[in-house]
Amino acid sequence: GGRPGGRGPMAEPEWLGSLFFGLIILSFIPGPWQVILSPIIGLINLFYMFKFGIFLLAIAAIFGLQWYFEATTMEGQCPGCGALQRAPKNEPFNCAMCGLELEAKDEQFVRYMKSGQAPQNPFDQIKDMAQQAAEKTSSAKPPASPKSKKKSTTVVDVEVL
């Protein structure tokens, strides 16, 4: 039930590689056919560069996904049952064995305790950060002004010849 040779309907014809090689060789020989071959070879090169680019993009996606999982998850033991597991670093989760609600803190898993505070949006976080900075600056003592301490200074203008 298939085509001879096991090639699918979208496969390249077998003669395409030979034609491409012949066109490349012919393009190096000076002549009027270079005017015709140059755009054709450009399109063929574009096609193969596109295929190679997809291949490189797939490899980059694999390594990027691997880095993302390493950066956002960690391995550790459940403090309740001691089961090893991988879980997210930034949100609570349940142990796969005992069901205990856990969270990641200081590179280990601990029992999750709700803080009672609703999660803030970024604008509230910036507002709180500005309030804390304002409190720190208002509680600090102002430095002594340079006008209050007058030192006697003498200015000497020297010209070297």
Side-chain angles (χ1 to χ4, degrees):
R3 296 177 185 263
R7 297 172 62 108
M10 296 299 290
E12 299 171 359
E14 293 179 13
W15 50 266
L16 187 64
S18 301
L19 177 68
F20 181 64
F21 183 70
L23 289 175
I24 294 292
I25 297 298
L26 192 59
S27 71
F28 286 110
I29 302 169
W33 50 81
Q34 285 181 325
V35 174
I36 297 169
L37 288 180
S38 181
I40 293 171
I41 290 176
L43 287 175
I44 293 171
N45 284 340
L46 184 68
F47 172 72
Y48 283 105
M49 285 187 334
F50 181 71
K51 284 175 72 172
F52 186 65
I54 289 177
F55 174 71
L56 288 180
L57 190 63
I59 290 174
I62 290 170
F63 283 109
L65 207 56
Q66 184 180 9
W67 171 83
Y68 174 76
F69 284 134
E70 287 293 323
T72 59
T73 62
M74 63 174 269
E75 286 186 5
Q77 284 187 322
C78 171
C81 64
L84 284 172
Q85 55 191 338
R86 178 169 284 277
K89 289 182 181 179
N90 56 357
E91 59 186 44
F93 61 95
N94 291 335
C95 174
M97 295 298 189
C98 66
L100 186 65
E101 197 167 8
L102 304 171
E103 67 178 327
K105 280 196 179 176
D106 300 325
E107 297 299 319
Q108 63 182 358
F109 295 147
V110 294
R111 287 179 184 242
Y112 175 64
M113 301 284 188
K114 287 189 176 183
S115 67
Q117 181 180 5
Q120 293 181 324
N121 63 26
F123 295 112
D124 291 337
Q125 290 175 351
I126 290 173
K127 189 173 102 179
D128 289 344
M129 184 177 70
Q131 268 183 337
Q132 291 173 358
E135 289 171 5
K136 282 183 183 178
T137 56
S138 65
S139 65
K141 291 182 182 178
S145 70
K147 292 181 180 178
S148 64
K149 295 180 182 178
K150 289 191 172 184
K151 293 183 179 178
S152 62
T153 57
T154 307
V155 178
V156 178
D157 186 17
V158 178
E159 292 183 24
V160 179
L161 298 173

